[in-house]
Amino acid sequence: MSGVCGCCGALRPRYKRLVDNIFPEDPEDGLVKANMEKLTFYALSAPEKLDRIGAYLSERLSRDVARHRYGYVCIAMEALDQLLMACHCQSINLFVESFLKMVRKLLESDKPSLQILGTNSFVKFANIEEDTPSYHRSYDFFVSRFSEMCHSGYEDPDIRTKIRMAGIKGLQGVVRKTVNDELQANIWDPQHMDKIVPSLLFNLQSGERTESRSPSPLQASEKEKESPVELTERCFRELLGRAAYGNIKNAVTPVLMHLDNHSLWEGKTFAVRCFKIIMYSIQSQHSHLVIQQLLGHLDANSKNSATVRAGIVEVLLEAAAIAASGSVGPTVLEVFNTLLRQLRLSVDYELTGSYDGSTNIGTKIIKAHEERQLQEAVIRTIGSFANTLPTYQRSEVMLFIMGKIPVPGIHLTLPSSDSGPEGTRMIQVMLLKSLVQVTAGFQTTNMLTALPSSFLEPLLSFSLTEDPEVRLLVLQILLSLIDRHDNRPKFANMRCVIGISDISVLKLKVDKCSRQDNLFMKKHGQQLYRHIYLGCKEESSGREHYEALFALLGLLSVELANEEVVVDLIRLALALQDLALSTDEALPVYNRCAVHALVAAYLNLICQLTTVPAFCQHIHEVIEVRQKESPYLLPEAVFVDSPKLHSSLDKVEGSVLFLQSKITESLGGSGYNTERLATPYVPQYTGKESKTSRLDTRVLISLHMLHYIAFCLPLVDSVGMEEQERERRRQVVEKFQKAPFEEIAAHCGYGQSQSRSVPIYEMKFPDLCVY
């Protein structure tokens, strides 16, 4: 019988005999290397036999798996791996089919060692660049199985970790094998991404650390590289790095869904880490696509809890910080529009207490402090986005936000607030805070084009409102816009400035005033002076207001001052001193002392900037007298936590006052315009403003209503106006201040429709519009 067997063995095909010879009698001896070399040489010499070799090896492996002969299984897989690495002929596709069939058989096994063995072989195969494309190969099973292994719940933690790592490596292999093969089923399709991405995030989250490491994984130690978290992050980065423009959405959407499904927005840490990985891994020109998806997701969660919305906003904040300058792309205004809309919704939710404006049983309870945290996060995010933009785009954003600030009762760009007047006020405050963020660090060489009238005029009009918080925000915006050389911090403390006899210690950066700066001050200077004057006149102005007004005076002096501006600023300072002395304004004692202190600090600054000795001598003499006799007229007594004030200011006179005559005489000798210096400053008013120091809400509504009436002639304030005209103007202003809103509307003819089109020369204008 032995002879018969030998005869039959000799009749077997050569490729089968070569395959059989690589298996030793004892599997522990491993692959017979000499015979493996013969098999490889045969496969290279007769590539048409390669598919039969693969089929036969597959047959043997299946039989060995069924018989639990795992040693022979390992030998078969090692032989397959070596043949794959050696052969790149055109007929390799059929061999690969046999190979993948064997890998699949191992992955389907419930034995972890076989799963890991199959994965390792697949990873080796994934790294091979095939010479010929495959038209029919499918990797759907491998995506599903490797994803399942990533979620392994095996009891033994060490084995569980190995299975999960095998799953991660397998997914990495699938991506490498398919991402650049146009003939393969698209790995970026949602059906694949919805399995791959959550599997990676699951492993990333399972080993999450309190602080995300640096964006580059190259410096990780060998031990760290073997951990599932590090392996997962490398795989996730590789996946995102390979994503083309059209695939970003499919890669990011499963991330958003995973964070939703597992309530991971609230914690913020993991969500932020995920999107840091995304932003650092994708191609920089695609950054705006991620931001766009986050904005859409924020809108989709408009009625979710404040903590969820705040988490999305925090992620947006981090994404904006990473995105390259200008990478927001064509969606710049969309970004700000979405954030401003969320800001308005949050204010409504906070004040109404519900998401739909009702208080029905079963509606979600709004937590005011959470909404406030969200609002602050939105404002910070607006600033972060603005910082990525070039100057011209930031100017557009400033105009855009200014156009969103509502005027009670008449604003058309925002839907009416469900939360009433208080909601409108809060929205004003929030949008102005946003402007503070946008204008922080804003620098431009030409302020005339960067800050047009369409922005400055409405901004300055808000500085006249009765709300002290709004006025302070306007001042902060102005300071950011005018400060182009980082001089603002040097004017932060009036108490320090008043004690300086040598201004050089402040190390101010002063450039020569450019032609554009001169034009800017010619156009807007009087408006700025007027608003400084009226800001000092406000009873509700506090320490912060006066410190900001002083900083504004200081910045105007070093940033935008030519000789004419210097003269106007000195005249303004003297007019403020007269304001503090006046008993007609009925200013509280604190405000009068504060104005006196502000004037002293500012004149001490401007006299040294002019470098006129006689001017400096007079200012220093007055300050010295005040230090001895009237310290309550200086910053160190006023701008402190417990101001030391005098009970009465009726006897503020003589040597404690700055004299216009002496200042005019000293500056006139140095070439300054003595005629202009001798003319007291009087605020110049336009038709859009009231001559009162306070523009309350009712007056603001009325004035804006006039502005919107079609073809209304502007109000005119001429210096040579006759006494009768002055009296009539006073009556008009008084009418707007004291009359009920309905009466004002009736006088304006507001809301009345005309039955026919009337030529302008036949129109009958209301009395309050023309005089």
Side-chain angles (χ1 to χ4, degrees), residues 399 402-403 452-463 474 704:
L399 282 169
M402 180 58 71
S453 300
S454 53
F455 176 81
L456 270 183
E457 289 182 0
L459 177 67
L460 292 174
S461 71
F462 276 102
S463 73
V474 170
H704 278 277

Side-chain angles (χ1 to χ4, degrees), residues 157-362:
D158 291 336
I159 296 177
R160 181 171 66 238
T161 298
K162 290 179 180 178
I163 295 174
R164 289 184 179 182
M165 289 185 70
I168 296 165
K169 291 177 181 177
L171 290 177
Q172 189 177 33
V174 172
V175 172
R176 287 179 178 175
K177 197 64 182 174
T178 59
V179 74
N180 294 322
D181 191 346
E182 296 179 358
L183 299 174
Q184 294 295 333
N186 194 351
I187 196 67
W188 301 104
D189 284 347
Q191 61 177 352
H192 300 308
M193 285 292 108
D194 289 347
K195 296 174 183 176
I196 294 173
V197 173
S199 300
L200 297 176
L201 294 180
F202 172 78
N203 283 277
L204 194 65
Q205 183 188 354
S206 64
E208 182 189 2
R209 292 166 294 179
T210 55
E211 185 176 346
S212 180
R213 58 175 186 74
S214 63
S216 174
L218 299 177
Q219 302 299 321
S221 67
E222 290 300 320
K223 184 176 180 180
E224 284 179 319
K225 288 182 179 180
E226 291 302 317
S227 72
V229 177
E230 296 296 331
L231 179 62
T232 301
E233 187 167 333
R234 288 203 308 276
C235 181
F236 194 28
R237 288 178 184 279
E238 183 177 339
L239 173 69
L240 295 164
R242 294 173 180 268
Y245 182 89
N247 303 326
I248 294 291
K249 182 178 180 180
N250 287 351
V252 174
T253 298
V255 178
L256 298 173
M257 295 302 103
H258 182 83
L259 296 173
D260 285 347
N261 296 336
H262 297 276
S263 302
L264 294 172
W265 292 111
E266 290 91 331
K268 299 177 188 176
T269 305
F270 182 70
V272 167
R273 184 182 179 195
C274 285
F275 276 89
K276 276 187 174 181
I277 292 173
I278 292 171
M279 297 302 292
Y280 279 122
S281 301
I282 62 173
Q283 300 174 45
S284 59
Q285 66 268 28
H286 300 159
S287 296
H288 69 278
L289 296 176
V290 179
I291 292 170
Q292 210 167 6
Q293 276 189 268
L294 282 167
L295 290 169
H297 201 65
L298 181 59
D299 271 343
N301 284 273
S302 290
K303 292 191 176 182
N304 212 324
S305 68
T307 52
V308 169
R309 284 176 283 137
I312 300 173
V313 170
E314 289 286 351
V315 169
L316 268 168
L317 177 63
E318 295 292 341
I322 295 170
S325 178
S327 68
V328 180
T331 62
V332 172
L333 293 185
E334 179 190 347
V335 169
F336 291 96
N337 198 38
T338 300
L339 292 172
L340 294 177
R341 183 167 58 249
Q342 290 298 323
L343 203 56
R344 180 182 59 79
L345 286 174
S346 179
V347 169
D348 284 347
Y349 294 160
E350 178 186 345
L351 294 177
T352 60
S354 70
Y355 293 116
D356 55 6
S358 66
T359 55
N360 297 330
I361 297 175

Side-chain angles (χ1 to χ4, degrees), residues 444-517:
T444 176
T445 54
N446 189 345
M447 293 188 68
L448 197 60
T449 56
L451 306 175
S453 300
S454 53
F455 176 81
L456 270 183
E457 289 182 0
L459 177 67
L460 292 174
S461 71
F462 276 102
S463 73
L464 299 175
T465 61
E466 61 185 353
D467 191 317
E469 185 177 8
V470 169
R471 295 201 310 275
L472 186 59
L473 289 169
V474 170
L475 285 170
Q476 291 173 355
I477 293 166
L478 283 172
L479 293 174
S480 294
L481 296 175
I482 295 173
D483 183 21
R484 293 175 293 177
H485 297 90
D486 298 322
N487 286 317
R488 179 180 175 181
K490 298 159 188 176
F491 299 124
N493 193 334
M494 266 191 276
R495 288 173 292 165
C496 293
V497 175
I498 194 69
I500 292 175
S501 57
D502 182 3
I503 205 70
S504 62
V505 300
L506 290 179
K507 297 181 180 178
L508 296 171
K509 297 177 183 176
V510 184
D511 284 343
K512 186 177 180 180
C513 197
S514 66
R515 180 175 176 274
Q516 289 83 2
D517 291 342

